[in-house]
Amino acid sequence: MIEPGSIELATGEHFDVCIVGAGIVGSSIAMALGERRLHVAAVDLDLSGRLSSSEKNAGGVRATWWQAVNIVLCRASIEYYQRIASEVGFRQKGYLWLYDAATWPEALAHIQLQRHLGHRIETLSPIDVGRRVPEIDRLDGIVGATFSPEDGLINPNLLKQHYRAEALRRGAQFLDRVYVTAIDAGSDAVRIECWRSDDEMPDAGLIRLLTQDAPGEAETGHLFTITAKAVVIASGAWSPHLLRLLGLENYSEPVRRQVCLVDNRTTNLDRYGMIVDTSGVYFHNEGPHILAGYSLPKEPPGYHFNYDGDAFFQAEVWPRMYARMGCMERLRHISGWAGLYEVSPDRSAVIGCGAPRVFEAHSFSGRGVMQSYGAGQALADLIANERYGALDATALSRDRFTHGEPVFEALHI
Ligand SMILES: Cc1cc2nc3c(=O)[nH]c(=O)nc-3n(C[C@H](O)[C@H](O)[C@H](O)COP(=O)(O)OP(=O)(O)OC[C@H]3O[C@@H](n4cnc5c(N)ncnc54)[C@H](O)[C@@H]3O)c2cc1C
């Protein structure tokens, strides 16, 4: 197998498209462009993704959203993940979402649209919840629930590898240790100015580059230029930097999210998919453990990667889980991590053409894994054919922030 990053660019090689950022979204776009026979270079400072959101997420996949475009892109992704389920560890065990009095009417108001767009979803009473998941033995505050059996969990690393392998098979080139420092989108081509580290990027150098701005003095590297007909900004939470290089308005911000890995000796939740409590805590079985997350409502934006560890678990996660399930009494914190959501004002992604020869797919606001396939296919059609094909992401264009309709999503964990 050809390893990403092992290919050197031939001098003067000209690409149809250069993708900046080869996380799960950039890798999906590379595959989709390859399927359309376009010659692709995907560059990334760290293809292993040590700080990338694609390596830090909870692996949830669902189409239970409020807005049609989000449901459609996630449905398309789910249908694709079904076809490659064993390769990418896709387990359709459903999402069980518990609602309180304040949120239940809103949930009910969107179920018709979800069903209309083909997404199976059941409504449950609190008693049904207790029957379906007997481990949920404290039903206080639950007014209703939804269960969507086609949603589930995926191994995001395997999915990213799948996209890359398919892209490589179609001739895409993945360049590792490459940091984009400038982009000039001219009338006939785009010039992408790159700095390439001569050595493996140490953690400290990576953090410096991805939390500050320019190559640090300690790193040695060289400069080179990639020329392409078009560029795609798929740089996740770092897209604001790339947009700034292009003089494009940025609307999104990085926000830290933490998840805990928990030792659970008394309960096996393996037969369930994701459970989302009324309190906002969400969890699912992760091998012999439980992965549990909670988004702090007042988390300040910024490139923050510190994980608050046992203190976070004890203060924010465990009390909420135990309040719902008595069997969680003896949960023990093992470890955890923090990564970045890239959050847009309406909590939907920005996908489309930002300027002539400049395309973008970022700000997935916690939905990048579950939407990666659909987003890649939609954008690739727009790039290859200058219009959307079967999947239309027009509603997610950046224009909506100035003179369009927001694509507001509230079921955001
Ligand atoms: C704790 C947590 C839980 C989550 N849970 C889920 C979930 O359950 N389901 C779901 O669908 N989503 C979830 N998400 C969100 C999901 O992980 C992201 O939306 C998704 O990974 C974004 O992928 P990406 O490819 O856009 O960005 P990334 O994976 O961050 O990739 C961006 C890449 O761009 C590179 N880059 C940046 N700047 C430059 C530059 N100047 N030059 C070169 N390369 C550059 C970076 O190195 C990086 O590899 C979660 C996120 C977190 C943090």
Side-chain angles (χ1 to χ4, degrees):
M1 179 185 160
I2 312 168
E3 289 297 327
S6 64
I7 303 167
E8 291 298 327
L9 282 184
T11 314
E13 190 165 358
H14 192 98
F15 292 91
D16 290 317
V17 184
C18 176
I19 303 170
V20 183
I24 204 156
V25 172
S27 299
S28 168
I29 296 167
M31 177 182 88
L33 290 169
E35 288 169 348
R36 287 155 184 78
R37 299 181 182 281
L38 294 180
H39 188 34
V40 174
V43 300
D44 201 300
L45 182 61
D46 174 34
L47 278 179
S48 75
R50 276 168 284 173
L51 293 184
S52 77
S53 306
S54 300
E55 292 288 315
K56 308 253 180 198
N57 63 80
V61 172
R62 63 182 164 108
T64 37
W65 296 102
W66 284 11
Q67 303 291 344
V69 65
N70 288 327
I71 299 170
V72 167
L73 291 180
C74 287
R75 288 280 316 159
S77 300
I78 287 173
E79 281 164 22
Y80 184 71
Y81 305 157
Q82 281 171 337
R83 299 207 291 276
I84 55 167
S86 58
E87 184 186 341
V88 298
F90 185 40
R91 292 147 282 152
Q92 285 183 289
K93 295 183 177 184
Y95 258 65
L96 177 68
W97 202 300
L98 312 179
Y99 294 93
D100 59 19
T103 52
W104 184 229
E106 291 278 33
L108 283 176
H110 293 88
I111 282 175
Q112 207 181 342
L113 176 67
Q114 292 159 356
R115 286 183 178 149
H116 175 71
L117 292 172
H119 198 49
R120 281 173 56 204
I121 185 153
E122 300 165 31
T123 53
L124 306 178
S125 69
I127 291 172
D128 296 334
V129 170
R131 284 200 192 114
R132 188 178 286 253
V133 183
E135 290 85 351
I136 298 181
D137 53 355
R138 297 168 178 183
L139 301 170
D140 344 3
I142 301 175
V143 170
T146 57
F147 180 68
S148 41
E150 291 169 328
D151 294 338
L153 305 165
I154 204 163
N155 182 323
N157 302 330
L158 293 179
L159 180 60
K160 186 174 69 178
Q161 295 314 327
H162 167 85
Y163 291 144
R164 286 182 181 174
E166 290 296 313
L168 284 164
R169 217 159 58 74
R170 292 171 171 86
Q173 301 198 21
F174 285 83
L175 294 173
D176 199 7
R177 309 195 309 272
V178 173
Y179 183 69
V180 170
T181 57
I183 306 176
D184 177 17
S187 56
D188 54 354
V190 187
R191 288 168 59 83
I192 299 113
E193 307 296 341
C194 304
W195 172 86
R196 188 171 199 188
S197 171
D198 291 338
D199 306 306
E200 206 52 54
M201 286 294 296
D203 284 351
L206 190 68
I207 289 168
R208 189 162 51 243
L209 270 179
L210 288 183
T211 54
Q212 299 166 18
D213 241 344
E217 285 171 13
E219 284 89 40
T220 55
H222 59 277
L223 300 172
F224 68 101
T225 305
I226 293 177
T227 311
K229 290 180 194 151
V231 67
V232 178
I233 305 305
S235 324
W238 296 276
S239 297
H241 296 307
L242 280 303
L243 298 178
R244 197 183 315 133
L245 295 180
L246 284 155
L248 283 172
E249 189 77 35
N250 165 56
Y251 300 99
S252 308
E253 56 190 12
V255 182
R256 179 182 72 150
R257 293 283 186 253
Q258 304 180 73
V259 285
C260 312
L261 199 61
V262 181
D263 186 24
N264 168 36
R265 291 167 189 215
T266 50
T267 325
N268 185 351
L269 301 180
D270 199 40
R271 59 189 181 283
Y272 312 120
M274 187 79 88
I275 299 176
V276 186
D277 183 42
T278 51
S279 65
V281 76
Y282 62 93
F283 50 94
H284 63 79
N285 239 51
E286 181 82 358
H289 306 304
I290 289 178
L291 194 70
Y294 178 72
S295 306
L296 293 171
K298 292 200 175 144
E299 183 74 52
Y303 292 98
H304 307 138
F305 290 94
N306 54 305
Y307 172 57
D308 293 339
D310 192 51
F312 172 67
F313 173 71
Q314 296 294 346
E316 306 291 350
V317 176
W318 181 78
R320 290 179 169 84
M321 293 178 77
Y322 181 51
R324 186 59 69 210
M325 301 163 92
C327 59
M328 298 289 167
E329 183 178 7
R330 296 179 63 195
L331 286 189
R332 199 171 53 83
H333 176 250
I334 303 174
S335 64
W337 60 85
L340 299 175
Y341 269 32
E342 69 288 23
V343 183
S344 75
D346 58 10
R347 298 165 172 177
S348 285
V350 179
I351 300 176
C353 181
R357 298 184 183 279
V358 177
F359 296 85
E360 58 189 335
H362 53 79
S363 306
F364 281 82
S365 307
R367 208 176 297 115
V369 174
M370 59 184 93
Q371 227 163 41
S372 57
Y373 175 80
Q377 294 294 319
L379 192 66
D381 272 339
L382 184 66
I383 295 170
N385 307 322
E386 296 181 18
R387 62 189 155 75
Y388 283 114
L391 293 170
D392 187 342
T394 307
L396 296 177
S397 110
R398 61 170 42 241
D399 296 350
R400 72 184 193 271
F401 298 124
T402 46
H403 50 271
E405 284 287 309
V407 185
F408 181 70
E409 286 291 354
L411 292 189
H412 179 75
I413 51 174

